[in-house]
Structures are given as C-alpha cells and as structure tokens.
Amino acid sequence: MLVEKVKVMIVDDSKVSRAILANHLSKTNFEVVAMAKDAAEALKLYHECSPDIVTMDMNLPDADGIECSRRIRAADPEAKIVMISAMRDGNLIARGKEVGIGAFLQKPVSTNAIIDSLMMLCQKKVSRVAMLRESYVKIFANSLKQGIFEMIAVKVEPVIEHYDKKYLDVDGIAVIVGLTGSPSGRAIFYMSKDTMKNFSKKMLSSEDLSDDEIQDAVEEAANIIMGHGVSNVNDVFKDKELRITPPGTICGAGIRVASPKLTTFKLTAPTNFGDICVNVGFAEGD
Amino acid sequence: MDAKLVNPFIDAFMAVMPQIGFPTPTRKKVFLQDRNIVSNGVVVMVGFTKQMRGNVVYNMKEDVAKFVASTMMMGMPVAEFDAMAQSAICELSNMLSANSATNLTKMGLEVDISTPNLTIGQGLSVKISDSQYLTIEMDLGGHSVDIAIAVDRNN
C-alpha cells in the first residue's frame, strides 16, 4: 500500500463538489494540497504546490476542463490528470485523451473509483503490483467468492498473493480466458482432478457425470466468474473496455503454463474438497 | 465457422515468418476438427474479442519450438526450452496475432487480442470450441506447426 502521501489538487467550480471529493480523499493516503475554482487559479496553484495528481471538472468559468488540462500539461508534460465530470461520452474521452488526461470518471464518484483511478495514474508512487492488486485483482477475488457461493453455495474467502514463480503447474483442469482491453492479460481458473469432480457434482447436483460434463461445468464456472470480474472492473473504470475471450480448456496431468512478461497473481479459494484457484496475469507495459 | 476468417491467419503466418528469418512456409493439410486438440508439446493460445470472437492455437513439438526460438534469436543455440525461448515463442505469437488482426481489419472486422498463453506438456487435451473448427498444418523448413482456428463473427 501507499507509504508516502500523494498530493492532489482538485479543480472544480462547485464548492460542494470540491468538498465531496476532499471528503472522499480524507479517508485515504491522498492529501488534498490545493483546490482551484477556475483554470487560472488551477495553473497558479499547480506551480505553487506541484501536486502529484489533478482531478479536473469539465465546466469551469474561464475555460473548459480540457483546455485547462492542456495548459497544465503544456507547463508540465508529466502532469497526471483525472477528469471527473457529470457528462461522460466518447467524444469527451477522445478529446481528453488528446490533451493527455489519463482517466475519466463520472459524477457522482465512489471513494473506491476515485482512489483506483488516482492510484493507477500515480504509478511513480505506487508499485505496479500494488496498483494491479488494488484495482483489478481484488475485484476478481470478489467475483470468485460470489461465483462460488452462487454456483455451489459454499462460502470462501479467497487469498490473494503476488505470483512470481516462472510456471503455473496444474494436474487437472485449467480454463484459460484471455483479457483484452486495457490492461490486456489472461486469467486461468484451475483446480485438481479430484476437486473438479466434486465441484461439478455440487454445481450440477448430480453424482453421475461424464468427463465431458465435468469439464463443461468447470469451463462454465470459469466463464461466469471471469465474466463477472470483467463487468465489475468495467463498472469501476468506465474507460477500460475490458473483455473476455471465449475460454480455452486444458485437461491432463502435468499442465505447465509459462507467463513471460506478465505480472501475475494467484487467488486461492479453499474449500473442504480442495482449492479452487485463479491465476490472473496482466501484460507488462499496459 | 466462416472459412473466410481463416485466410487472415494463414496470410499472417506466410508474411511474418520470412521477415524473421524463416524459409517461406508451405501449407500442408487443412482439416475440420470437432475433437479436442492434443498438445504436441508446446501450445500457444491467443484469444480474440470485439467483432470476431474465438481462439487460435499454435501447436508444435518442443523441438520445433526450440528451432523457432533459435531462428528468431539469430541462430543462437537453444538446448533447453527455457524462459528465453518461451519468451521468443510468445513474442512470435504476438506478432502473428497482431498481423492477423490487421488483416481482419482490412476485411472490416475490428478485433482485439489477448496476451498469448503458452502451455507446455505433451498429450494434454485442449478444447477451444464447442463446435467444429479448422486446423491448418504448416511446414516451416521441414518443421511442422499446426494452427487451429476457432473464431466466429460476433454479431
């Protein structure tokens, strides 16, 4: 997690909006160092306070948020800006990206959404692993927990760990779902041979299942859990457009998955019939 | 599946391989499959989304993967299929998928590609589709690479 306070400047013409945002951030390691009500004041305070990150409203009395961002970025090309506005459409995002705005949120924003966006933008302060864990992996862990409960009525508390081994070794089944969008990557839903049998029996409420039915059940579970994970990520980050590819399912003993150039995490959901796991990896450089 | 969607992948393979030091590949067999793929040793899976969804799998023996990695690394000997060789194979899969995606765009299909997923293990069963899909056996200077293509337009 954050060690050092990250300095934030809020640019918004509404006193109420500024107060709400400041209130959100007061619960976190972000420190509001400046608040500006218009573009001119934003530029002046940016020079004076050198914030790590700027939140930008679209409607300002003397210039719009995009123009204000353009001016700030002209003065400091490294400036990190997140736009928080009532309106949020493709045109606005396209114009915003052109001037270097890094993230877009729609009012009202939740504390989580604002923190996630700010953390994502200030990677110089927060390590990539921490950022991915906070922003994405926790969401997938929650989807794993919910999915398992909905499908087999078992309560689990998934454990998240940064997975830095060279290989993922599986004896049983590994359902691989590609992630496209930003960041791209892949998620692997996997379990041992015995666990997959017991899992599918519970899921389909049947004792007599063929190998194909067992495989299909696990594949469907993976599809549901990953699908929810991606939807939930997209709910928080409106501009990520994360999508899942159709699943590819590998069965057998001695499955070894190599993940060069991926930052990966292992989610383990322990049950009384074995661990149900997800290994989620994100491409470096996204 | 739509057979027209296969050519962008073959074209990509034919175009990319010679650019990175391989002899021009030749197409050997093309066949419809409805059973699972059986891994020859090294399987790389790439997923597609947006206007076309599905998976493409490059399936080869470990010896072939080592040959491919070695050729990509300017003939550097590859004794073990180690991290560097695996990285080379993933990089190649990325190039092939990106090139295929460009070819698909020319057909009016906007697609997005996942990161390649490399699995090692012989005889593993790999399921990429619930229905029939095409496999193309490509010859690369005497080495065989199977490309299994299970994709469909996403309407």
Side-chain angles (χ1 to χ4, degrees):
Chain A
M1 282 305 293
L2 300 170
V3 182
E4 200 180 331
K5 287 251 180 189
V6 179
K7 294 187 286 179
V8 182
M9 175 169 85
I10 298 172
V11 184
D12 201 308
D13 64 335
S14 145
K15 197 175 176 184
V16 175
S17 289
R18 292 197 299 267
I20 291 172
L21 255 179
N23 184 42
H24 279 316
L25 294 174
S26 67
K27 302 165 195 159
T28 69
N29 271 311
F30 293 94
E31 184 184 10
V32 178
V33 293
M35 293 206 243
K37 61 183 183 311
D38 56 35
E41 194 179 16
L43 240 78
K44 180 173 161 278
L45 288 174
Y46 190 89
H47 285 297
E48 284 173 19
C49 306
S50 309
D52 296 307
I53 197 152
V54 177
T55 75
M56 180 67 63
D57 182 27
M58 186 59 189
N59 298 314
L60 300 173
D62 53 345
D64 69 19
I66 289 177
E67 174 56 23
C68 181
S69 302
R70 194 190 61 73
R71 289 181 199 167
I72 290 176
R73 297 262 306 175
D76 174 10
E78 297 294 307
K80 293 180 168 52
I81 304 171
V82 52
M83 173 153 275
I84 304 174
S85 60
M87 286 279 292
R88 193 186 153 282
D89 57 40
N91 179 26
L92 177 75
I93 292 173
R95 289 194 297 136
K97 279 185 176 167
E98 263 177 42
V99 302
I101 295 175
F104 300 82
L105 292 170
Q106 190 164 15
K107 287 180 187 174
V109 288
S110 68
T111 307
N112 275 347
I114 178 78
I115 291 168
D116 286 343
S117 290
L118 294 183
M119 284 180 78
M120 224 170 35
L121 281 182
C122 50
Q123 287 182 37
K124 63 176 181 181
K125 297 277 178 187
V126 187
S127 83
R128 180 177 161 77
V129 169
M131 184 277 292
L132 289 171
R133 181 199 298 259
E134 294 300 314
S135 303
Y136 301 100
V137 183
K138 280 190 174 172
I139 295 179
F140 278 101
N142 205 29
S143 304
L144 177 64
K145 176 182 172 168
Q146 275 183 353
I148 291 175
F149 184 71
E150 279 161 23
M151 285 180 279
I152 62 170
V154 171
K155 277 193 177 161
V156 291
E157 279 306 328
V159 178
I160 301 175
E161 58 189 304
H162 177 217
Y163 192 79
D164 51 8
K165 295 197 181 85
K166 266 168 44 184
Y167 301 110
L168 172 67
D169 288 308
V170 182
D171 280 314
I173 188 165
V175 183
I176 300 169
V177 177
L179 304 172
T180 72
S182 170
S184 65
R186 55 101 186 108
I188 306 172
F189 182 77
Y190 66 98
M191 57 186 85
S192 73
K193 206 175 166 186
D194 287 338
T195 306
M196 89 191 216
K197 276 184 191 158
N198 288 316
F199 176 83
S200 45
K201 278 180 192 169
K202 273 186 184 289
M203 186 175 157
L204 302 176
S205 306
S206 165
E207 281 297 310
D208 190 26
L209 294 173
S210 70
D211 285 353
D212 279 354
E213 284 168 328
I214 291 171
Q215 187 177 327
D216 286 352
V218 177
E219 188 178 297
E220 183 59 16
N223 211 12
I224 290 170
I225 290 168
M226 299 312 157
H228 282 188
V230 162
S231 300
N232 293 339
V233 167
N234 287 337
D235 281 346
V236 176
F237 305 103
K238 304 286 186 195
D239 57 340
K240 291 292 158 193
E241 289 194 51
L242 219 57
R243 288 182 168 87
I244 55 170
T245 69
T249 304
I250 304 181
C251 278
I255 303 169
R256 167 162 275 196
V257 184
S259 307
K261 295 187 182 167
L262 290 183
T263 305
T264 61
F265 298 84
K266 183 185 178 188
L267 313 179
T268 309
T271 71
N272 56 14
F273 52 89
D275 290 346
I276 299 171
C277 302
V278 173
N279 185 289
V280 56
F282 300 97
E284 285 166 11
D286 268 328
Chain B
M1 63 172 273
D2 183 347
K4 278 191 203 130
L5 298 178
V6 172
N7 283 331
F9 293 93
I10 300 177
D11 292 348
F13 197 81
M14 302 291 258
V16 169
M17 298 314 276
Q19 288 172 25
I20 47 173
F22 292 92
T24 303
T26 50
R27 194 190 310 186
K28 304 284 273 190
K29 280 188 279 180
V30 178
F31 48 98
L32 260 180
Q33 253 184 304
D34 48 16
R35 296 228 193 122
N36 293 349
I37 300 164
V38 177
S39 165
N40 290 332
V42 174
V43 162
V44 187
M45 192 187 311
V46 181
F48 289 78
T49 62
K50 284 199 173 167
Q51 287 181 301
M52 186 195 80
R53 276 173 61 79
N55 284 298
V56 171
V57 161
Y58 303 93
N59 184 11
M60 67 199 93
K61 289 183 179 162
E62 194 168 297
D63 279 349
V64 176
K66 287 197 282 195
F67 159 76
V68 170
S70 167
T71 308
M72 285 180 74
M73 297 188 285
M74 309 293 174
M76 205 175 97
V78 174
E80 292 291 320
F81 189 53
D82 57 9
M84 196 189 265
Q86 291 158 16
S87 187
I89 296 293
C90 282
E91 192 51 41
L92 171 68
S93 310
N94 248 338
M95 284 191 255
L96 291 171
S97 318
N99 196 286
S100 308
T102 307
N103 293 341
L104 286 158
T105 309
K106 287 179 196 154
M107 291 170 61
L109 289 173
E110 194 197 341
V111 296
D112 220 344
I113 52 181
S114 77
T115 52
N117 199 88
L118 186 145
T119 305
I120 305 157
Q122 211 169 341
L124 302 171
S125 140
V126 182
K127 182 187 165 199
I128 54 168
S129 173
D130 286 321
S131 48
Q132 286 191 322
Y133 59 95
L134 274 172
T135 297
I136 298 114
E137 198 182 307
M138 302 297 293
D139 180 89
L140 200 59
H143 303 272
S144 181
V145 177
D146 288 355
I147 311 175
I149 304 169
V151 292
D152 260 310
R153 283 171 202 266
N154 189 22
N155 296 316

